[in-house]
Amino acid sequence: MATRDSLIQVTDLKKHYNMGAIKALDGVTVDIHRGDVMVVIGPSGSGKSTFLRSLNLLEEPTGGAIVFDGVDITRKKYKDENGKTVKLDIDKLRQKMGMVFQHFNLFPHMTILENMTLAPLKVKGTNKAEAEEKALALLDRVGLSDRAGAYPIQLSGGQKQRVAIVRALAMEPQVMLFDEPTSALDPEMVGEVLDVMKGLAKEGMTMVVVTHEMGFAREVGNRVLFMADGMLLEQGSPEEIFGNPKSPRLKDFLAKVL
């Protein structure tokens, strides 16, 4: 239910392929509040990543509405606070949504510091000294300030993913979207990335996290969504989802993964 703390309201979201034969998303409705750490779980092919990528329109929905910070971003035009019709600027919108993928998407020919400062310089027009100072502070926060002059190839997978997270933070987003951020990592590197995400959660960052890490969902999430077959079948607190699952599909899923 939408409240004044709502940051993103998703209503009856659909994503169909092949003239409706494949329903990647089939009527998902959910309200994401400021400060939520919403963890999305479910079997492969359940629509989790499609849902996440729809939130910043990397996936163009077939139907439904996504209201972000008071604006329905599924419409090409909207009325501003003065009642004037304004064209939606999707690039400006995406600046407010940090996105971290499975694969780190760092530019291999740039140093870590250059990767970090590229968007603040080019997109936000931040001056170089300020952008570098902020980037170094963020790198220091994840224990990587000594790697500012290194190239991505010189970093481990866990280090690259930590850089990808703070690179997104450099744009000062209102929400962070994580699409299975640890699934491409060796098991011993997973913890260092989850630790950074736990730190963000403690600071009150609004986060939507698609993950197979049930321990993270239990420990850090304040809300858990369970998706299967493109539908949102159950949502609740970690205690409700893991301790008292109601749908047979969720019970079956948890029996396999826990």
Side-chain angles (χ1 to χ4, degrees):
M1 197 178 89
T3 69
R4 61 193 176 81
D5 287 330
S6 299
L7 182 60
I8 307 172
Q9 294 126 39
V10 180
T11 309
D12 198 25
L13 191 66
K14 295 182 173 78
K15 177 65 177 180
H16 297 172
Y17 297 97
N18 200 8
M19 295 172 66
I22 299 166
K23 295 179 167 68
L25 291 175
D26 196 16
V28 173
T29 296
V30 69
D31 196 27
I32 301 164
H33 301 112
R34 294 173 205 280
D36 264 349
V37 180
M38 182 175 279
V39 183
V40 189
I41 63 170
S44 294
S46 58
K48 304 184 301 291
S49 288
T50 306
F51 166 71
L52 190 81
R53 292 164 64 88
S54 296
L55 295 179
N56 65 358
L57 301 189
L58 285 177
E59 291 278 1
E60 196 84 37
T62 310
I66 302 167
V67 176
F68 173 57
D69 208 13
V71 175
D72 183 351
I73 63 174
T74 57
R75 303 168 89 87
K76 301 294 181 230
K77 293 179 178 171
Y78 67 96
K79 287 202 174 351
D80 67 10
E81 57 270 23
N82 303 315
K84 190 173 162 207
T85 300
V86 181
K87 190 169 177 280
L88 181 74
D89 185 341
I90 187 61
D91 294 324
K92 199 163 185 187
L93 172 93
R94 285 190 183 128
Q95 290 176 37
K96 300 177 183 178
M97 294 185 172
M99 182 100 187
V100 179
F101 300 90
Q102 293 178 32
H103 299 286
F104 328 109
N105 297 355
L106 299 176
F107 294 108
H109 62 290
M110 292 182 170
T111 66
I112 298 309
L113 186 61
E114 287 167 344
N115 266 285
M116 292 275 302
T117 56
L118 180 67
L121 290 172
K122 299 270 187 209
V123 180
K124 285 186 110 176
T126 310
N127 73 60
K128 193 175 180 197
E130 189 185 331
E132 289 187 349
E133 184 184 350
K134 178 154 194 205
L136 288 168
L138 284 165
L139 286 170
D140 185 50
R141 173 173 161 178
V142 294
L144 291 172
S145 54
D146 61 329
R147 310 299 281 153
Y151 287 87
I153 198 169
Q154 297 170 290
L155 272 58
S156 71
Q159 289 173 325
K160 285 180 199 169
Q161 195 61 297
R162 281 186 276 159
V163 170
I165 292 170
V166 289
R167 179 183 59 175
L169 288 176
M171 292 297 284
E172 300 178 330
Q174 291 184 38
V175 59
M176 287 282 284
L177 310 175
F178 293 88
D179 190 6
E180 298 191 25
T182 58
S183 64
L185 300 178
D186 292 333
E188 67 268 23
M189 293 174 185
V190 169
E192 64 193 60
V193 173
L194 292 180
D195 283 345
V196 173
M197 293 168 66
K198 286 175 191 173
L200 283 178
K202 280 195 185 113
E203 288 163 21
M205 172 60 78
T206 307
M207 297 159 66
V208 185
V209 185
V210 170
T211 186
H212 293 292
E213 300 288 337
M214 296 300 137
F216 177 85
R218 271 183 138 141
E219 183 190 343
V220 185
N222 72 310
R223 293 173 67 202
V224 180
L225 309 187
F226 172 68
M227 292 185 67
D229 307 315
M231 291 181 281
L232 173 56
L233 294 189
E234 208 162 321
Q235 61 173 307
S237 68
E239 295 75 26
E240 290 167 330
I241 294 294
F242 292 103
N244 187 26
K246 293 182 178 60
S247 74
R249 191 78 178 81
L250 175 55
K251 288 176 185 172
D252 181 54
F253 173 76
L254 292 175
K256 288 174 179 161
V257 299
L258 294 179

